[in-house]
Amino acid sequence: LDFDWEKVVHELLEHGACSFQIFTPEYCAELVREAEKYEYVRQPEVLAGGKVREQISSFGNLPEDRLFHKVADDFAELLYRESCTNSFATPLCFNEFNLQRYDKGSLGVTPHKEGKSCRNLVAVFVLTGDAKYAICKDRGGTDPRYFETTPGNVIVMRGVGFYGKNDQPMHFVSDV
């Protein structure tokens, strides 16, 4: 894993998100094999009082002894070491963890912000497929800034509390 934490911090503070490769193709394939073992549940299509639409299935009850928990623990430890702890308002821990699957042709997720429980960072690990992931200025998707979604990449997005910032970027997934 070769990434420049200072560059990541700059991108997060300047733009709200960044993307970089984290998994080798072989490790990514191993994660996909595990992900394919789970039964996904289609989520409601309309959220936030009709302001957000999504077409997604998810699985969120991951057993703690599985590879995905090791990924989260290793990633949190790596970020904690790299950041020297000055990046985070509260101790870094991934408090929400689920696998998400978009069917081919899905509308993805319309522009939205994560809930306030998403503190410090949001990490989206891309395992397979092709889609567009962008941050934008508003619910209309104005001025999108797209991020690399190559399988094996992680998209890291600023959450509430990162370097004392109390805002999160509006973002969406499209062209699945």
Side-chain angles (χ1 to χ4, degrees):
L1 179 61
D2 183 24
F3 73 97
D4 179 347
W5 176 247
E6 294 304 317
K7 182 179 177 186
V8 169
V9 168
H10 172 77
E11 290 294 314
L12 292 172
L13 292 173
E14 181 80 16
H15 303 293
C18 67
S19 175
F20 54 92
Q21 184 180 10
I22 190 163
F23 301 134
T24 64
E26 296 79 19
Y27 194 67
C28 195
E30 190 175 343
L31 289 166
V32 169
R33 281 192 295 278
E34 183 174 317
E36 289 173 340
K37 294 177 183 178
Y38 300 116
E39 189 172 322
Y40 293 77
V41 175
R42 181 161 299 284
Q43 298 302 304
E45 188 169 317
V46 179
L47 307 168
K51 294 180 181 178
V52 179
R53 289 187 61 220
E54 67 179 6
Q55 290 177 338
I56 189 172
S57 296
S58 67
F59 177 78
N61 200 9
L62 287 159
E64 293 211 14
D65 63 342
R66 297 296 189 244
L67 188 55
F68 285 103
H69 279 283
K70 179 169 177 23
V71 167
D73 291 345
D74 289 350
F75 190 63
E77 181 182 323
L78 176 67
L79 291 176
Y80 192 75
R81 257 195 339 256
E82 290 293 321
S83 71
C84 302
T85 72
N86 64 355
S87 307
F88 310 117
T90 57
L92 184 62
C93 84
F94 290 106
N95 63 342
E96 184 178 319
F97 196 106
N98 62 63
L99 302 179
Q100 296 180 332
R101 183 178 65 201
Y102 298 90
D103 292 332
K104 184 176 182 177
S106 157
L107 70 82
V109 182
T110 59
H112 68 286
K113 290 185 178 184
E114 295 300 322
K116 297 235 184 251
S117 66
C118 295
R119 310 250 342 133
N120 295 313
L121 293 175
V122 174
V124 177
F125 298 93
V126 181
L127 300 181
T128 187
D130 187 36
K132 292 184 179 173
Y133 187 105
I135 59 172
C136 56
K137 292 191 185 246
D138 54 36
R139 288 200 188 275
T142 305
D143 294 331
R145 180 179 177 90
Y146 292 95
F147 296 90
E148 186 62 43
T149 60
T150 300
N153 273 34
V154 61
I155 300 166
V156 181
M157 191 171 56
R158 184 179 68 228
V160 172
F162 184 78
Y163 267 86
K165 290 198 170 276
N166 288 319
D167 64 328
Q168 302 172 330
M170 185 79 64
H171 60 284
F172 63 88
V173 176
S174 66
D175 298 337
V176 177

